[in-house]
Amino acid sequence: MTGTDGIEGLLRTYAPQVLGVLVRRYGTFDTCEDAVQEALIAAARQWPEEGVPDNPRGWLVTVAARRLVDQVRSEAARRRREDSLALATPASELLAHAADEEPGADRDDSLSLLFLCCHPELSPPSRIALTLRAVGGLTTAQIAAAFLVPESTMAQRISRAKQTIRAVGGSFALPPGEDRTARLAEVRHVLYLIFNEGYTASAGEALTAPELSTEAIRLARLLHRLLPEDTEAAGLLALMLLTDARRPARTGPHGELVPLAEQDRGRWDGQLVAEGVELISRTLPRGQVGPYQLQAAIAAVHDEAETAGATDWPQILALYELLERTGPNPMVTLNRAVALAMVEGPAAGLALLDELARDKRLVRHHRLLATRAHLLELLGEEEAAAEAYREAARRTTSAPERRHLTERARRLG
């Protein structure tokens, strides 16, 4: 594995493991994370020319530990304090301990990092940024590019997140009992947000940001591997696989959005579909069915239909009704309205949308208007549908979605 892509993958695999070793050894998340980033940069520069070391993880731990010691010594020289770490760590120790010195430590460290990056004191954007950097091994520049913000802005966000962790005394230990359950739910939610932003970018000229979806799937695989007994982690991974399988068919030759019903299903990734269907089929019978498993089951029904016309809409409607019972969510109700329209007719779906329009969270959302336009079009009310499409286009921040909605309105004249 000497190619650049192979080395990058290797570094991102080892990033959380190496950071876990340092935090477990020294206990300072923010400075350890900076040191690991420096080690990753050093490896990215040296390994393509000099080759991958025999023990790449041990190499990264040694270099990161040296960087950390240098940081502490430098600060001590400037401020004449906090030099105990550097003085108490003999150089021989940095070389003597392998990264995998404790059996099972990598598993616990990676899980602890995920939990720490999703600390409840952090805002959702900060959780996402810190997770991508500390656990995903992405550079600040890569994260900034994916979210279409200046690198300086993302650097400030990550810095503030690390300062918050330090200020609240975020523990590297796995939280117990109910706290662990709640934090695990936050971890799943953060990975879900990362995937969604990658699958349908909220702003910009491109419909998708594949690097974010790919990273979300990689991290979801990691979470499933760390917690194979967690059915919702399995459901989340299955949902990502089944949804991402459609990516090749979601855009046309000029980057235009292609709706699900109009996609060339022959372009879907059959391997991802098969993996996702197998995973959710294996997970659902285990009981404790949650929202991610239900969403994955809905995606599986869509993906297994050979044509849009062959879609089992009654089953999808039943699954959305079950999904709504797991917790009120206007976007779930919006999707149920589409399923209801396909089973009972557009008028039934529109009646549900009228109820949903009273929800303040969706009252000005472009998806509510776009769905109304679609159902009005099915009902044959083309003038009203065109106006709803135009209004939806005015409200979206995604350029591809705006072009798609505007074109729909133009076709209806």
Side-chain angles (χ1 to χ4, degrees), residues 195-389:
F195 178 82
N196 281 347
E197 180 61 28
Y199 192 70
T200 304
S202 58
E205 288 296 319
L207 178 66
T208 65
E211 62 275 15
L212 285 178
S213 292
T214 299
E215 183 60 21
I217 290 174
R218 192 181 75 84
L219 292 175
R221 288 189 189 278
L222 172 64
L223 183 62
H224 179 50
R225 187 166 65 249
L226 297 173
L227 296 173
E229 74 283 358
D230 183 54
T231 53
E232 275 294 80
L236 175 60
L237 175 57
L239 172 62
M240 290 181 181
L241 296 171
L242 290 163
T243 304
D244 205 56
R246 307 174 200 147
R247 180 189 299 280
R250 287 191 71 222
T251 54
H254 305 294
E256 68 273 20
L257 185 153
V258 180
L260 178 62
E262 300 173 17
Q263 290 175 15
D264 176 2
R265 299 183 177 218
R267 296 182 61 199
W268 288 359
D269 188 322
Q271 186 174 346
L272 289 183
V273 171
E275 183 183 358
V277 168
E278 190 278 331
L279 180 56
I280 192 59
S281 299
R282 176 164 36 93
T283 302
L284 283 173
R286 293 167 58 187
Q288 300 178 333
V289 176
Y292 291 120
Q293 294 168 75
L294 290 170
Q295 289 179 75
I298 292 168
V301 175
H302 278 297
D303 287 12
E304 289 186 304
E306 292 186 3
T307 65
T311 303
D312 188 345
W313 284 107
Q315 184 179 358
I316 289 176
L317 178 59
L319 287 168
Y320 271 124
E321 289 171 348
L322 286 175
L323 184 57
E324 275 189 313
R325 295 176 195 170
T326 66
N329 185 317
M331 295 306 293
V332 172
T333 305
L334 186 64
N335 286 319
R336 181 167 72 86
V338 175
L340 184 64
M342 300 304 293
V343 175
E344 298 183 10
L350 284 166
L352 182 55
L353 290 187
D354 288 339
E355 297 178 22
L356 195 56
R358 292 192 285 271
D359 191 316
K360 293 181 180 179
R361 292 170 293 180
L362 271 189
V363 66
R364 294 188 59 79
H365 200 290
H366 76 278
R367 291 227 165 89
L368 176 62
L369 284 163
T371 303
R372 180 180 297 281
H374 175 61
L375 297 188
L376 286 169
E377 184 178 359
L378 291 178
L379 201 60
E381 298 186 16
E382 295 187 354
E383 185 175 344
E387 178 54 36
Y389 276 130

Side-chain angles (χ1 to χ4, degrees), residues 34-322:
D34 287 339
V36 170
Q37 283 292 320
E38 289 190 29
L40 293 174
I41 292 171
R45 290 172 178 168
Q46 294 181 34
W47 291 4
E49 295 182 3
E50 301 176 7
V52 177
D54 292 337
N55 181 3
R57 185 168 48 180
W59 188 99
L60 289 167
V61 169
T62 300
V63 172
R66 285 174 174 166
R67 295 288 196 274
L68 179 62
V69 169
D70 288 344
Q71 288 177 23
V72 175
R73 281 181 170 151
S74 175
E75 184 176 345
R78 289 195 312 269
R79 303 170 62 182
R80 306 185 65 82
R81 68 173 177 81
E82 296 184 2
D83 60 352
S84 57
L85 173 63
L87 297 176
T89 307
S92 59
E93 183 178 335
L94 298 179
L95 297 173
H97 291 264
D100 54 355
E101 58 189 348
E102 296 181 24
D106 287 339
R107 174 190 180 279
D108 292 340
D109 287 348
S110 296
L111 197 56
S112 295
L113 278 174
L114 278 168
F115 280 22
L116 188 59
C117 291
C118 296
H119 195 283
E121 290 294 325
L122 298 176
S123 67
S126 293
R127 293 175 193 172
I128 290 171
L130 201 56
T131 298
L132 288 172
R133 169 142 165 164
V135 187
L138 292 174
T139 65
T140 303
Q142 288 173 317
I143 302 170
F147 282 94
L148 303 176
V149 300
E151 184 175 350
S152 58
T153 300
M154 187 57 67
Q156 290 173 357
R157 185 178 300 172
I158 293 172
S159 178
R160 285 196 299 267
K162 291 195 290 185
Q163 289 170 7
T164 299
I165 293 292
R166 186 170 190 171
V168 300
S171 173
F172 188 61
L174 292 173
E178 293 183 3
D179 289 343
R180 176 171 175 166
T181 301
R183 191 74 65 84
L184 177 57
E186 292 292 347
V187 169
R188 290 191 296 252
H189 184 57
V190 164
L191 300 187
Y192 181 67
L193 291 176
I194 294 172
F195 178 82
N196 281 347
E197 180 61 28
Y199 192 70
T200 304
S202 58
E205 288 296 319
L207 178 66
T208 65
E211 62 275 15
L212 285 178
S213 292
T214 299
E215 183 60 21
I217 290 174
R218 192 181 75 84
L219 292 175
R221 288 189 189 278
L222 172 64
L223 183 62
H224 179 50
R225 187 166 65 249
L226 297 173
L227 296 173
E229 74 283 358
D230 183 54
T231 53
E232 275 294 80
L236 175 60
L237 175 57
L239 172 62
M240 290 181 181
L241 296 171
L242 290 163
T243 304
D244 205 56
R246 307 174 200 147
R247 180 189 299 280
R250 287 191 71 222
T251 54
H254 305 294
E256 68 273 20
L257 185 153
V258 180
L260 178 62
E262 300 173 17
Q263 290 175 15
D264 176 2
R265 299 183 177 218
R267 296 182 61 199
W268 288 359
D269 188 322
Q271 186 174 346
L272 289 183
V273 171
E275 183 183 358
V277 168
E278 190 278 331
L279 180 56
I280 192 59
S281 299
R282 176 164 36 93
T283 302
L284 283 173
R286 293 167 58 187
Q288 300 178 333
V289 176
Y292 291 120
Q293 294 168 75
L294 290 170
Q295 289 179 75
I298 292 168
V301 175
H302 278 297
D303 287 12
E304 289 186 304
E306 292 186 3
T307 65
T311 303
D312 188 345
W313 284 107
Q315 184 179 358
I316 289 176
L317 178 59
L319 287 168
Y320 271 124
E321 289 171 348
L322 286 175

